[in-house]
Amino acid sequence: MKIRLLLLLIIALIINNLSAFAQNKGVVKGKVTDETGQPAIGVNVLIVGTSAGTATDVNGNYSLSANVGAQKIQFSGVGYKTIIQDISVSLGETTTLDITINTGTNLLNDVVVTTSRQPIRKIESTTAIDVLEARDVLKQVPLTIGDALRFTPGVYVVSQRGRMRTNLIMRGFPENLGSEDKYTAMLIDGLPAFPGSANAYDQFYSPDLNMERIEVVRGASATLFGRNAAAGVYNVIMRTGGEKLHGAAEVGFSPSPANEGTMYKADLNLNGAITKQLRFNLGGFYLTDPGYRRQIKPDEGYQFRANLDYLFPKGGSIRLYGGVRDFNLFNNVDVPFTIDGKSMLSGATNKYTNYTPLLYNINYTRPTGITVPSVLIDPTNPTGGTLTGNAGNIENGNVGRDNERGNYTRGWNIGLKFNFDLGAGFSLQNHFRVQSVNVGAGSIIGFNYANLAAAQIFNSTGIRELNDVVNELVIRKQVKIGESKHLFTLGAYYGRYTQKTRASGFLLALNLTNRENIALTPIIPTNPGLLTTNLLRNSDLDATVVNSSVFFGDEMMFADDKLKINVGLRYDVTDLDILNYLPKSSTGTPAGVQFPSSFTDTRKVNIGAFSGTLGINYLVGKNSALYGNFVRAFRAPDEAIFSPLTRVPSESIIRYTNSNQNSAYAVNIDKPERISNVELGFRTALLDGDLSFDLATYYTAINNRLISSFREVAPNDIRAIAISEGSIGIAGAELSLTYTPSSIKGLVLRSNLTFQRSTYTEFKNFIYDNRTSFVPAGSPTGTPATPIPVSERLRDVTGNRVKNIPGMIWNWGASYETKVSNSLSAGLGIDGNLMADRYADEMNFIKLNNVML
């Protein structure tokens, strides 16, 4: 009913304002040439503060509708300096504006978003921000969103699992590699790309020709993007159709060194105008790749997106969009290695993984339902019977078939977004989306190579059914108070999603006698190549999560627009309703190993928290600015944190069975993480705008950090529990340089350097040794084990570096592009990425090798 009323309100507002939008318009047209007098082809022409824009044709001409009154027109393009020109538009008349655009690129004039999502120039921003134009990104042929962001200042990309499950780490925040414990948020046109946590970015979006740009915002973004974006966000902006029909196609291919066949990817985009105001944009890609390393099946799938935009002459717009995606992507990239040497075992090559055809020989029986007294589900209804799964409560499975889809995503979304001017300084924006996605994960990971003959392999498979509905409503008001200008923003966000997770795990010991083809040599005659098989307890979860928030911001301009101050407040509330259980079969005779437990845990949690930001920008000169910000943010616990099986008895309602109550390390999560960040920076353009310089320094404190982790809760009893991993401090600095000499048209040189220290400021109870006793190596048979007291297995790692976070990131690149003719250009580029000074463990015993890409 609420959604229906909202749609009726939207329709009424549109009808009421159509007549106003049809008036107060004019036309701006002209020709853009370079300094030699030749037509500048493909230059982007944008009315600043609106979505109205176009590009110059083969003769350098352009034409577009504009609001009546004073407007700012931006001209920008690859290899050209950005120009912003003031112009006055008259009602019903055509204004001619011819421009000469010079070679070079002044990045400080790029138009970016702000805390209220109002477009401004980058030089006026109060936080560190980078705009990655689609043309530059796609030249790198990125297979993942991580590839697209790899050379961004302060961003650490870990592509440790092939094309899927890339980890993105901003500014030294402690991410759990592989578990997607994110402090960054991925947005598509301003809304979160996916619900919840522990989901891989790449499962929801891959770069394609529909993309216009990516805005990477680091620092004070809490009031803009919500509870899980304390480190920053990257916002993918989709293309709006141009005034004329335009198409683009791209095909890439590469032979596979390990499998038969060739990788190829076909990418297509088509956009244009149906009428003068109605634009369309559609496209996508198809990919098939047998893989660089041996895997069960090839990576294969497609992504397709489309949007229809109606652009009101006054500058407002309505967008209807949708997309579908179906991918099977594999991450079986682990190879046999030695811990001491940090290298592959002798005789192995990186073409081979821990995948083995023997997985198809392992069958199992998996219970799929639960039988639980209802008092555990609803304490107020102790006589309501039971909650039961399917009738048979049994599912027969095969490990090989479970892995055939690898990491996969299959789903769709549809959305409606509008933005228009209500008059009297008011504007209204609303963004609504519905999404349904099924995702799955399969991992075959070798974690203990005990000797040269065998390896312990952990195989984990799981599926998630995700459905979400989100809506964000924003109202803005422009007003002048004395000599100051204000843009007030009031908004509300609502998101509801449901999740069903089904997961299983197997512990295998495989024969490695033949290093390049695991488990071909028989060890056990009845099961060739397979030493042992243990079916681990699976953990199933049903969750309903509702996130809602209200936010307010004020962007203020003082002193002839030289001083800009942004303030913002946001209050978020998270409601979680979670059922976590280990199914128990009650019927049938299992044909294989059976899941043994009947543990059930249900809970309802409500957590709210404030966040706020203060940002300042002062223009020192025409091309220089000082900026700084302070943010008080938080990260709320979610279903990924609450899924562990161990709880503490301090909760008001005990809703669990078969749970250990005496853990010294389990905590009752009733508050979010508290995050404080301060940033100071200076940006300028030198050499007549040819050289852009940006220096930012920052410090971040994270208190009460919450994770799900394995800990020993009793002697020889290691379980997944929810814990606090202490406090963390992050200090760092970023320096970015971009040089586009006017004397060499088409040459771009860039480099950025990040130094940072991410350390535990308090972490006293780190368990570095899970053994309760040990027998010294070389002892005679029968020697009794020596107990190891708990006090000797705990360490205070305060002051140690946070694992996996590099102390230095250096990115550099050089590219040159020149026009051969009006329809042909040619270029050459090279990029580098150095990650250095990393540790693999909290004790800082293992320092990882530096990596240059």
Side-chain angles (χ1 to χ4, degrees):
M1 179 62 70
K2 292 181 179 180
I3 295 175
R4 186 177 301 173
L5 290 174
L6 176 60
L7 291 175
L8 290 174
L9 174 60
I10 293 171
I11 294 172
L13 287 171
I14 293 173
I15 294 174
N16 185 56
N17 285 275
L18 279 177
S19 60
F21 292 144
Q23 303 172 5
N24 299 325
K25 64 177 182 178
V27 175
V28 178
K29 72 174 186 177
K31 184 173 184 177
V32 181
T33 57
D34 61 21
E35 62 266 51
T36 67
Q38 295 299 313
I41 303 170
V43 171
N44 298 314
V45 185
L46 174 71
I47 302 176
V48 177
T50 76
S51 59
T54 186
T56 57
D57 59 21
V58 293
N59 297 313
N61 296 320
Y62 73 93
S63 176
L64 74 166
S65 300
N67 298 341
V68 169
Q71 301 295 332
K72 292 182 180 292
I73 313 296
Q74 175 184 287
F75 301 85
S76 63
V78 177
Y80 295 106
K81 291 184 178 179
T82 300
I83 298 174
I84 297 181
Q85 182 72 44
D86 292 319
I87 191 173
S88 179
V89 180
S90 301
L91 177 62
E93 296 183 4
T94 298
T95 303
T96 300
L97 178 61
D98 295 331
I99 288 293
T100 298
I101 190 167
N102 295 322
T103 304
T105 304
N106 187 346
L107 300 179
L108 299 184
N109 281 322
D110 284 346
V111 172
V112 298
V113 296
T114 64
T115 307
S116 66
R117 298 182 184 161
Q118 183 73 8
I120 63 167
R121 292 186 302 153
K122 178 179 177 178
I123 195 172
E124 298 174 321
S125 174
T126 63
T127 187
I129 186 169
D130 285 270
V131 179
L132 310 180
E133 296 292 340
R135 184 178 179 184
D136 296 330
V137 172
L138 295 174
K139 284 178 181 177
Q140 300 175 16
V141 197
L143 295 179
T144 69
I145 194 68
D147 292 333
L149 301 176
R150 189 178 303 279
F151 305 104
T152 308
V155 176
Y156 169 42
V157 178
V158 186
S159 299
Q160 59 181 7
R161 304 192 193 179
R163 188 179 279 109
M164 179 54 64
R165 303 182 79 83
T166 300
N167 286 89
L168 297 169
I169 300 173
M170 285 188 180
R171 291 194 165 181
F173 272 73
E175 308 284 9
N176 286 345
L177 301 184
S179 65
E180 283 68 54
D181 180 15
K182 301 298 183 185
Y183 288 91
T184 56
M186 174 184 179
L187 310 177
I188 296 180
D189 283 335
L191 280 189
F194 57 86
S197 63
N199 293 310
Y201 292 151
D202 307 272
Q203 288 180 290
F204 291 83
Y205 178 75
S206 297
D208 61 15
L209 294 178
N210 294 309
M211 180 179 68
E212 178 181 305
R213 66 185 185 276
I214 305 176
E215 296 173 345
V216 185
V217 185
R218 305 183 301 281
S221 56
T223 59
L224 175 56
F225 299 114
R227 66 192 186 103
N228 284 346
V233 302
Y234 58 98
N235 187 15
V236 181
I237 307 298
M238 292 301 165
R239 187 188 304 273
T240 299
E243 291 187 338
K244 296 183 179 181
L245 184 64
H246 177 76
E250 191 172 89
V251 177
F253 59 92
S254 175
S256 169
N259 303 284
E260 293 183 0
T262 297
M263 180 279 285
Y264 71 87
K265 178 186 177 187
D267 204 332
L268 177 69
N269 173 260
L270 187 67
N271 70 83
I274 300 175
T275 66
K276 192 171 184 179
Q277 272 74 46
L278 186 62
R279 312 290 180 86
F280 75 93
N281 177 73
L282 57 88
F285 63 82
Y286 173 78
L287 168 76
T288 181
D289 183 1
Y292 181 81
R293 294 173 176 170
R294 192 168 61 99
Q295 56 193 39
I296 298 178
K297 288 186 176 181
D299 290 355
E300 190 171 26
Y302 65 87
Q303 173 179 288
F304 179 83
R305 300 180 61 87
N307 50 275
L308 189 65
D309 294 87
Y310 186 84
L311 308 179
F312 290 107
K314 196 175 181 180
S317 64
I318 298 177
R319 168 172 289 187
L320 177 66
Y321 67 89
V324 293
R325 182 176 169 92
D326 193 339
F327 256 10
N328 299 332
L329 302 176
F330 291 86
N331 67 349
N332 302 327
V333 298
D334 194 30
V335 294
F337 70 98
T338 61
I339 295 179
D340 292 340
K342 291 179 286 186
S343 61
M344 287 181 292
L345 287 177
S346 175
T349 71
N350 62 6
K351 293 181 182 179
Y352 296 90
T353 69
N354 287 321
Y355 161 67
T356 170
L358 281 176
L359 297 177
Y360 284 95
N361 295 337
I362 306 174
N363 298 306
Y364 66 91
T365 299
R366 180 185 188 278
T368 59
I370 56 174
T371 302
V372 182
S374 64
V375 66
L376 296 176
I377 308 303
D378 183 3
T380 64
N381 183 18
T383 61
T386 60
L387 175 67
T388 306
N390 64 9
N393 225 14
I394 291 294
E395 176 184 79
N396 294 318
N398 177 273
V399 178
R401 290 194 301 271
D402 288 347
N403 284 275
E404 284 185 350
R405 293 205 67 179
N407 290 274
Y408 71 86
T409 175
R410 180 178 61 247
W412 57 268
N413 62 49
I414 187 170
L416 177 66
K417 179 180 180 180
F418 70 82
N419 181 11
F420 50 78
D421 190 349
L422 300 176
F426 283 97
S427 63
L428 180 67
Q429 176 180 306
N430 195 84
H431 194 168
F432 172 80
R433 188 197 67 209
V434 179
Q435 183 170 231
S436 178
V437 182
N438 288 341
V439 298
S443 301
I444 306 175
I445 302 172
F447 66 91
N448 183 9
Y449 296 92
N451 53 63
L452 297 182
Q456 289 185 342
I457 309 296
F458 177 66
N459 172 222
S460 174
T461 58
I463 60 173
R464 293 187 180 197
E465 299 177 7
L466 302 172
N467 295 278
D468 76 316
V469 178
V470 297
N471 191 83
E472 184 180 69
L473 177 66
V474 178
I475 300 174
R476 299 190 185 95
K477 168 65 174 177
Q478 291 181 332
V479 63
K480 187 173 182 179
I481 303 176
E483 297 300 320
S484 63
K485 302 174 185 177
H486 296 258
L487 177 61
F488 295 106
T489 299
L490 180 63
Y493 174 89
Y494 175 86
R496 181 185 188 275
Y497 76 91
T498 59
Q499 172 180 312
K500 292 185 178 181
T501 301
R502 305 292 180 259
S504 305
F506 294 85
L507 187 62
L508 315 171
L510 300 178
N511 174 22
L512 289 179
T513 302
N514 185 331
R515 307 285 167 72
E516 292 196 353
N517 207 345
I518 294 175
L520 287 183
T521 303
I523 291 182
I524 301 177
T526 58
N527 197 352
L530 187 64
L531 297 180
T532 60
T533 301
N534 293 307
L535 181 61
L536 303 183
R537 299 185 304 178
N538 74 307
S539 176
D540 291 355
L541 178 144
D542 294 344
T544 299
V545 181
V546 176
N547 296 312
S548 55
S549 65
V550 292
F551 50 91
F552 172 80
D554 181 11
E555 295 187 53
M556 297 167 274
M557 296 286 286
F558 302 91
D560 297 326
D561 295 345
K562 289 185 177 181
L563 176 63
K564 186 178 185 66
I565 300 177
N566 294 344
V567 295
L569 290 173
R570 181 179 183 119
Y571 184 72
D572 287 77
V573 176
T574 298
D575 287 287
L576 302 98
D577 189 350
I578 302 173
L579 168 64
N580 181 268
Y581 58 92
L582 293 174
K584 180 179 181 181
S585 177
S586 59
T587 61
T589 301
V593 185
Q594 182 180 347
F595 292 86
S597 178
S598 61
F599 174 89
T600 300
D601 177 18
T602 69
R603 60 172 60 207
K604 295 184 179 181
V605 179
N606 178 277
I607 296 177
F610 279 99
S611 60
T613 183
L614 169 65
I616 300 175
N617 182 290
Y618 183 73
L619 297 178
V620 180
K622 180 180 178 181
N623 289 320
S624 301
L626 292 166
Y627 64 94
N629 58 72
F630 173 79
V631 59
R632 192 276 191 188
F634 69 97
R635 181 181 186 273
D638 49 34
E639 74 285 351
I641 294 294
F642 283 108
S643 62
L645 309 183
T646 300
R647 303 288 178 243
V648 293
S650 58
E651 295 184 74
S652 58
I653 300 175
I654 306 300
R655 298 189 180 120
Y656 44 73
T657 60
N658 297 352
S659 177
N660 188 307
Q661 300 290 305
N662 301 313
S663 169
Y665 309 109
V667 296
N668 183 32
I669 300 176
D670 58 359
K671 57 186 178 182
E673 298 179 18
R674 300 184 306 276
I675 302 168
S676 299
N677 179 78
V678 61
E679 175 183 4
L680 296 173
F682 173 72
R683 55 174 66 105
T684 186
L686 305 172
L687 304 178
D688 195 27
D690 289 355
L691 177 64
S692 296
F693 172 96
D694 198 332
L695 174 65
T697 60
Y698 54 89
Y699 181 80
T700 302
I702 306 175
N703 297 311
N704 189 41
R705 182 172 182 246
L706 306 171
I707 66 169
S708 299
S709 181
F710 287 96
R711 290 292 186 267
E712 186 180 46
V713 298
N716 299 316
D717 185 5
I718 300 175
R719 300 190 183 191
I721 61 175
I723 66 168
S724 172
E725 204 178 51
S727 300
I728 292 173
I730 307 166
E734 299 167 356
L735 173 63
S736 301
L737 297 170
T738 302
Y739 181 51
T740 55
S742 302
S743 58
I744 309 177
K745 184 178 180 180
L747 178 64
V748 179
L749 305 175
R750 55 185 172 80
S751 179
N752 59 76
L753 184 64
T754 300
F755 285 101
Q756 59 189 11
R757 282 293 181 271
S758 185
T759 58
Y760 295 105
T761 56
E762 183 181 3
F763 193 2
K764 297 181 179 179
N765 293 322
F766 171 70
I767 301 179
Y768 84 103
D769 188 350
N770 283 320
R771 297 176 303 168
T772 57
S773 61
F774 79 102
V775 176
S779 299
T781 303
T783 301
T786 301
I788 306 177
V790 173
S791 60
E792 294 185 11
R793 295 186 288 123
L794 296 178
R795 287 294 183 269
D796 183 355
V797 298
T798 300
N800 283 15
R801 298 271 297 281
V802 177
K803 66 178 182 180
N804 293 318
I805 304 301
M808 185 185 78
I809 306 171
W810 177 42
N811 300 315
W812 54 270
S815 63
Y816 176 73
E817 183 173 355
T818 184
K819 292 180 182 178
V820 178
S821 67
N822 285 343
S823 59
L824 180 65
S825 63
L828 179 68
I830 183 171
D831 298 281
N833 171 239
L834 173 66
M835 297 169 287
D837 194 18
R838 295 177 297 151
Y839 289 89
D841 63 312
E842 288 90 346
M843 295 295 293
N844 291 177
F845 286 155
I846 304 175
K847 190 168 185 178
L848 297 174
N849 296 332
N850 299 339
V851 177
M852 169 68 85
L853 300 176

